[in-house]
Amino acid sequence: MLVCAGLSKNFAKSASGFATKRFASTKTLREALQEVIPAKQEQLKKLKAEHSQAIVGDVKVENIIGGMRGLKGMLWDASVLDPIEGIRFHGLTIPDCQKVLPAAPDGKEILPESMLWLLMTGKVPTPEETRQLSRELAEKGELPKFVEQLIDSLPQTLHPMTQLGIGVSALNHDSAFQAAYERGIKKSEYWTYTLDDCINLISRLPALAARIYRNVYKSGSEMPAIDKNLDLVGNYSQLLGYGHNKSLTEYLRLYIALHGDHEGGNASAHTAHLVGSTLSDPYLSYSAALYALAGPLHGLANQEVLRWQLAMQKEIGSDITHGKIKDYLWKTLKGGQVVPGYGHGVLRNPDPRFIALQEFCNTLPELRESPIIRLVNMTSEIAPEVLKEHGKTKNPYPNVDATSGCVLYHYGLTEFKYYTVIFGVSRALGALTQLVWARALGLPLERPKSLSIDAIEKIVKSS
């Protein structure tokens, strides 16, 4: 999946028809952004000047009392989620990204650094630009001593996501944006200092997340130093203690890249955007996003899937058949429970991320033969028809959570509560990218209008 070197001098044409210029020269991410920001600023300026009164949708009562679901009311430029086609990153589908985004020298899967570059600039980086970004992140990846001491002082019983949020917010001690804002800078310079913070935060997340893992689950084990020659996930895997497992490292690269962004309306991304709109620095904005991600209705889904699959495995035994799975599905539904890992708030087709992870599993004999992965595969063959017959779900197809946690479990990373931390490392790519762009485009403080029940009733009656 590593794009060939020749493409770096030409155009990479995706299956969707999206052409991406490949540069022979190597730029830094900052230099690439300095090129693309003026054009995007001008595009937004023209849109506001010529079409500010255009109507993009109607607000219904169901939108107001239904959590604003589906309401078009937020600018988020890096990714768009289509109910049928799934997620696109600057126009590229997941299969497109797998074809053109650079992989690690010793691997085949997308490097999160290359996804970060795409999300930030709208362009596909060259392998050289990706390696350069990997090097920058590794060089900035060490935690400040006081943050290490802070994390080490927390009780092992404190939830890993709580610890992650504490660590991220504490890193704002060194915020370049906060310091620059306090001394007085032009609004046109906001994005540059925000970028500094975002790159520093992304670079430090592996060390922070791994330290939490070691303290909670591997107490007394010593953390290795960051290897300046490794990519972001290569270091993360090594810091966790799984650097010897190349298959797990490759899986984590794919998982983190694919989970990096999923539009702006999901709770964690929206929270980062909302808090960032107050001009809070990226550390505070993303720590708030992490606490949104920690909620059971958002970031805990793959844990619930794994628990449910293991319970099924225990009940039906080693002789797995479609009939036994079907019976267990009906038992779950008739017990008043949902089938975890199926359905999605937006998607109405199988999740392309699920398909990508399943394809990864199919490339490795140990995953094809894994009892838990085989159970996932067979469940995905049966569940849609059972859910259609049940008739209470708009999307009976598997989403990414149907398999993501099960692969971690197979490779021995069995600590369920930690899975959301990995999700948190991933989702930083998109949420922090959009903080940079919010500052570059001068987006305002987000402040929707709220209504009381009486006020809604009055509007309905008058209309």
Side-chain angles (χ1 to χ4, degrees), residues 188-203:
S188 61
E189 298 176 345
Y190 284 0
W191 76 265
T192 64
Y193 295 98
T194 301
L195 176 63
D196 287 339
D197 281 353
C198 291
I199 292 299
N200 285 334
L201 175 51
I202 290 170
S203 71

Side-chain angles (χ1 to χ4, degrees), residues 213-272:
Y213 179 78
R214 295 257 185 174
N215 284 352
V216 175
Y217 302 109
K218 309 289 182 182
S219 181
S221 62
E222 189 172 342
M223 286 254 300
I226 289 175
D227 187 337
K228 302 298 192 295
N229 297 312
L230 286 179
D231 59 274
L232 189 77
V233 173
N235 265 309
Y236 185 29
S237 182
Q238 185 160 288
L239 293 172
L240 286 171
Y242 292 90
H244 62 282
N245 192 324
K246 291 185 178 180
S247 295
L248 176 58
T249 302
E250 273 284 86
Y251 174 73
L252 285 171
R253 286 177 180 134
L254 180 62
Y255 174 94
I256 288 175
L258 296 187
H259 278 71
D261 201 34
H262 212 236
E263 271 199 342
N266 66 78
S268 54
H270 187 195
T271 299

Side-chain angles (χ1 to χ4, degrees), residues 40-75:
K40 189 65 70 172
Q41 289 172 329
E42 185 59 31
Q43 183 185 9
L44 183 62
K45 181 180 177 181
K46 183 178 180 181
L47 185 65
K48 289 166 67 176
E50 298 179 5
H51 304 289
S52 62
Q53 300 304 306
I55 296 172
V56 296
D58 298 318
V59 179
K60 302 179 178 68
V61 172
E62 69 178 13
N63 299 132
I64 299 172
I65 64 176
M68 296 191 289
R69 186 173 294 274
L71 190 63
K72 299 177 179 69
M74 184 180 181
L75 178 60

Side-chain angles (χ1 to χ4, degrees), residues 282-301:
Y283 301 101
L284 297 181
S285 301
Y286 196 59
S287 65
L290 288 168
Y291 291 133
L293 189 65
L297 294 183
H298 189 17
L300 305 190

Side-chain angles (χ1 to χ4, degrees), residues 17-153:
F18 181 89
T20 306
K21 191 172 182 181
R22 305 300 305 280
F23 294 97
S25 62
T26 300
K27 297 179 177 66
T28 66
L29 183 57
R30 179 181 294 276
E31 290 168 341
L33 271 173
Q34 286 171 332
E35 287 189 353
V36 299
I37 281 176
K40 189 65 70 172
Q41 289 172 329
E42 185 59 31
Q43 183 185 9
L44 183 62
K45 181 180 177 181
K46 183 178 180 181
L47 185 65
K48 289 166 67 176
E50 298 179 5
H51 304 289
S52 62
Q53 300 304 306
I55 296 172
V56 296
D58 298 318
V59 179
K60 302 179 178 68
V61 172
E62 69 178 13
N63 299 132
I64 299 172
I65 64 176
M68 296 191 289
R69 186 173 294 274
L71 190 63
K72 299 177 179 69
M74 184 180 181
L75 178 60
W76 192 273
D77 215 38
S79 63
V80 175
L81 181 58
D82 182 85
I84 306 302
E85 294 185 343
I87 192 72
R88 285 179 181 265
F89 307 102
H90 286 293
L92 293 174
T93 64
I94 285 174
D96 295 338
C97 290
Q98 290 178 293
K99 291 175 184 175
V100 301
L101 288 181
D106 62 343
K108 297 180 179 179
E109 302 302 335
I110 301 169
L111 274 175
E113 290 92 321
S114 61
M115 177 60 79
L116 173 61
W117 190 291
L118 173 64
L119 293 174
M120 194 75 81
T121 69
K123 298 179 182 296
V124 173
T126 64
E128 293 76 21
E129 287 166 338
T130 304
R131 305 286 178 265
Q132 179 178 265
L133 181 55
S134 292
R135 181 77 184 186
E136 179 182 359
L137 294 174
E139 288 176 347
K140 295 178 177 178
E142 297 286 349
L143 290 177
K145 198 68 180 177
F146 81 92
V147 174
E148 291 183 349
Q149 293 169 346
L150 172 63
I151 296 302
D152 292 349
S153 72

Side-chain angles (χ1 to χ4, degrees), residues 265-283:
N266 66 78
S268 54
H270 187 195
T271 299
H273 174 79
L274 172 62
V275 177
S277 79
T278 72
L279 295 186
S280 282
D281 64 64
Y283 301 101

